Amino acid sequence: MASQTVLIPVEFPDPDPLPSTFVEGLTDCRVILLGVYELDDDVSDDERQRRRIEANQVLYNIAADFVHRGELAEVELVVGEEVADAPTRVAEERGVDALLVPNPITTLGHVLVAVRDEKFAKPVVDFVCAMNQDVLLHTNLFHVAESEADVDAGEALLSEVTDRLVAEGFSRTGIDTEVAVSDDPAFAISQAAADNDIVVMGETQEPGFERVFGKTYDSIAERTELPIIVVRED
């Protein structure tokens, strides 16, 4: 399986820490740490340079945690006004496989994997398979069906995903599946995410910035306060 690349935004001036279990969970991934530092134009050149240096020191210290565990990590820093769209823009430019929508991260033991359809099943499963199975204690596969008539198809989809994970070394007893019927996927996923540490799901269909940070992810992030790994379409 090809190595997965994940872009992790680090928001300055007060970045949230990345716990060791999260770092260890991405052992087989290539990591891009993207520093995002919003500064007004009226900040002096000297002050801007000082903050750049400090931010880069933080980024390289975080990168060292990944490298010490045998992972590949690189850093990039974006400084200026209106830099909120930097993660999506850099993700597009770098062609990464996944992008972290940041919320405070505590651990990485229980992951909710929202599988929307067959198109995104493969890239989402590819990313989950690249995560460290020694860190993942339990994997919850979740699908939102539009109606009761779609439940059987959803269950079949999750069964296929389960078989793929088991073939890649995951324990079948460590995988649960659930199909919910709802016309509000964001709400259903938010409800299912309770007692999980992180959500993994495919990107949405809106163009540009909204494709990754659209209403679905904003809603889930706000309702759950969980980090979300958005897996981009192949």
Side-chain angles (χ1 to χ4, degrees):
M1 181 186 301
S3 176
Q4 297 284 302
T5 301
V6 56
L7 188 147
I8 301 176
V10 181
E11 299 177 349
F12 288 91
D14 300 308
D16 290 321
L18 297 179
S20 59
T21 52
F22 178 77
V23 175
E24 292 170 359
L26 301 179
T27 299
D28 295 326
C29 297
R30 175 173 168 260
V31 173
I32 299 175
L33 297 167
L34 178 68
V36 180
Y37 206 145
E38 184 169 347
L39 289 178
D40 295 333
D41 283 343
D42 58 3
V43 175
S44 69
D45 290 342
D46 287 346
E47 178 65 12
R48 186 179 297 269
Q49 181 63 13
R50 183 187 69 80
R51 296 193 190 186
R52 278 184 174 274
I53 292 171
E54 290 181 351
N56 273 311
Q57 288 176 338
V58 171
L59 289 173
Y60 280 105
N61 285 337
I62 297 173
D65 289 339
F66 286 95
V67 173
H68 288 162
R69 291 172 171 79
E71 303 166 37
L72 297 175
E74 59 181 288
V75 304
E76 182 174 338
L77 177 64
V78 178
V79 178
E81 289 190 313
E82 299 181 357
V83 294
D85 66 340
T88 295
R89 175 175 54 78
V90 174
E92 294 283 353
E93 293 172 353
R94 297 292 195 96
V96 302
D97 299 292
L99 169 63
L100 178 71
V101 179
N103 258 336
I105 301 170
T106 55
T107 185
L108 198 63
H110 293 76
V111 57
L112 178 76
V113 182
V115 184
R116 185 171 69 243
D117 51 35
E118 292 183 1
K119 180 177 69 173
F120 278 103
K122 183 181 184 304
V124 167
V125 171
D126 284 346
F127 185 84
V128 174
C129 287
M131 300 173 76
N132 188 342
Q133 297 175 31
D134 293 332
V135 174
L136 297 181
L137 301 177
H138 206 88
T139 304
N140 297 299
L141 303 179
F142 186 70
H143 174 77
V144 181
E146 294 182 0
S147 68
E148 293 291 345
D150 300 314
V151 169
D152 287 346
E155 291 177 344
L157 175 63
L158 295 187
S159 178
E160 293 176 3
V161 171
T162 299
D163 290 342
R164 169 78 186 282
L165 291 175
V166 171
E168 293 291 339
F170 282 70
S171 169
R172 192 176 293 274
T173 58
I175 302 173
D176 281 337
T177 64
E178 180 183 356
V179 176
V181 178
S182 175
D183 58 1
D184 187 347
F187 177 77
I189 293 170
S190 299
Q191 292 292 104
D195 299 325
N196 285 272
D197 302 310
I198 195 167
V199 177
V200 177
M201 59 191 301
E203 65 183 349
T204 55
Q205 300 300 306
E206 294 85 359
F209 182 72
E210 288 294 322
R211 185 165 70 177
V212 174
F213 288 101
K215 294 179 180 178
T216 299
Y217 306 110
D218 285 341
S219 178
I220 296 171
E222 290 174 0
R223 289 169 171 168
T224 67
E225 298 184 351
L226 293 176
I228 303 171
I229 292 181
V230 180
V231 180
R232 301 175 66 239
E233 184 180 359
D234 284 342

